[in-house]
Amino acid sequence: MTMENLDTPFIELGKIRKDLAEAEQSVNPVPIEGKFEGQLIFTPECFRALMYTYMEIALSDDVIIDNSSLWRNKIGQKVAVDSFNASIKPWDERIINHEYHTNDGFRSEDYTIIENGMLKSFATTLFGANKAKVDRAGNTDLCYVVEPGDTSLDDMIKNVKKGLIVGSISCGEPRTNGELAGVAKNAFYVENGEIKNAVSETMVSFNAIKILENIVSISKEVLANGDWVLPYICVDGVTISGK
């Protein structure tokens, strides 16, 4: 959490109070039985890790230069649902740690990665842009900003028939094909719109690239931690495996 001053009590910042309550609720986690396809609600922190994954396997210099990115030829094409809008904005008023200049010496500017579900740009440096003959990104920062949706978090949870709320996923970095599998951490089981219990020993697997096409809803609420601004995001088509 990054802040401009100490005027606000620490527990009132971001979702620290909520995190502490969830830590208390997680003292006695219950493993899920069996395997099923369900929905996943990414917390803002968890989706931040997914955004970093996109930078590494789909948007950065290396994968654009060697053509291994599944998005290499997708500029101007749909890669997500219409309601998904993602940018990197070091100059957003909610971002405390501004990047003033890129790593290759340019004045940093906000730029859009995905607009209304359409891929608008890569995260290429001057070197990558020249090498791959694409446009250079406006900055080299990781100040992710995803626009909020029109669904409250409470309603998002109520609409989940069977799935998880996930705070993080313990896994290695996916390959450029986007396939991801890992252990759900800080996670809660949801059934028929009700949070049942914290879970343990539970695996989730999905394709990180394709999952943006399976977004069900985006929350009205966003978490602004000083470095990024992200909502909760619910997706469908996730394989959830217990004992």
Side-chain angles (χ1 to χ4, degrees):
M1 193 76 200
T2 304
M3 63 208 79
E4 287 185 307
N5 55 61
L6 300 177
D7 295 344
T8 303
F10 183 74
I11 198 169
E12 302 297 338
L13 294 170
K15 55 192 280 289
I16 292 173
R17 185 186 294 277
K18 181 177 176 63
D19 288 341
L20 290 173
E22 290 178 352
E24 184 178 359
Q25 296 162 11
S26 299
V27 172
N28 297 304
V30 178
I32 286 178
E33 297 291 336
K35 179 178 179 180
F36 63 93
E37 185 175 292
Q39 294 182 329
L40 208 62
I41 295 178
F42 292 98
T43 62
E45 298 94 331
C46 191
F47 198 76
R48 183 264 175 197
L50 195 59
M51 286 294 297
Y52 181 78
T53 294
Y54 294 135
M55 299 294 284
E56 292 296 302
I57 70 171
L59 299 166
S60 65
D61 283 0
D62 290 346
V63 295
I64 298 302
I65 291 170
D66 68 14
N67 291 310
S68 61
S69 167
L70 293 181
W71 286 349
R72 178 62 178 88
N73 299 308
K74 293 285 188 178
I75 293 291
Q77 298 182 35
K78 285 284 187 179
V79 295
V81 296
D82 291 349
S83 58
F84 186 75
N85 295 276
S87 305
I88 300 186
K89 294 184 172 182
W91 293 105
D92 186 286
E93 61 182 9
R94 296 163 293 184
I95 300 297
I96 307 301
N97 287 328
H98 301 290
E99 178 191 74
Y100 290 89
H101 296 90
T102 69
N103 293 338
D104 37 23
F106 294 92
R107 177 71 171 175
S108 290
E109 299 176 349
D110 297 346
Y111 75 96
T112 299
I113 298 171
I114 297 173
E115 183 177 36
N116 299 327
M118 185 178 297
L119 184 64
K120 302 294 289 186
S121 58
F122 302 126
T124 41
T125 64
L126 177 63
F127 171 81
N130 288 340
K131 195 77 173 176
K133 294 180 171 52
V134 297
D135 292 334
R136 178 183 62 82
N139 62 69
T140 50
D141 212 341
L142 299 176
C143 298
Y144 307 123
V145 176
V146 172
E147 298 303 319
D150 56 7
T151 304
S152 69
L153 177 58
D154 286 344
D155 286 341
M156 182 182 287
I157 295 170
K158 289 177 183 177
N159 290 331
V160 173
K161 185 175 181 181
K162 196 173 184 181
L164 297 175
I165 302 171
V166 178
S168 64
I169 300 173
S170 179
C171 63
E173 185 177 303
R175 296 184 178 182
T176 53
N177 64 8
E179 292 299 326
L180 182 153
V183 180
K185 300 289 188 179
N186 308 319
F188 292 85
Y189 177 57
V190 181
E191 185 174 12
N192 296 323
E194 182 180 349
I195 299 175
K196 296 293 185 179
N197 50 261
V199 301
S200 63
E201 302 175 37
T202 302
M203 296 283 295
V204 295
S205 58
F206 55 90
N207 187 289
I209 295 292
K210 296 179 181 177
I211 204 69
L212 294 181
E213 300 174 16
N214 293 343
I215 292 175
V216 176
S217 56
I218 300 173
S219 71
K220 295 178 181 178
E221 299 91 339
V222 296
L223 175 60
N225 83 334
D227 297 305
W228 42 259
V229 183
L230 298 169
Y232 292 80
I233 293 182
C234 180
V235 301
D236 208 352
V238 175
T239 300
I240 299 170
S241 307
K243 295 179 64 177

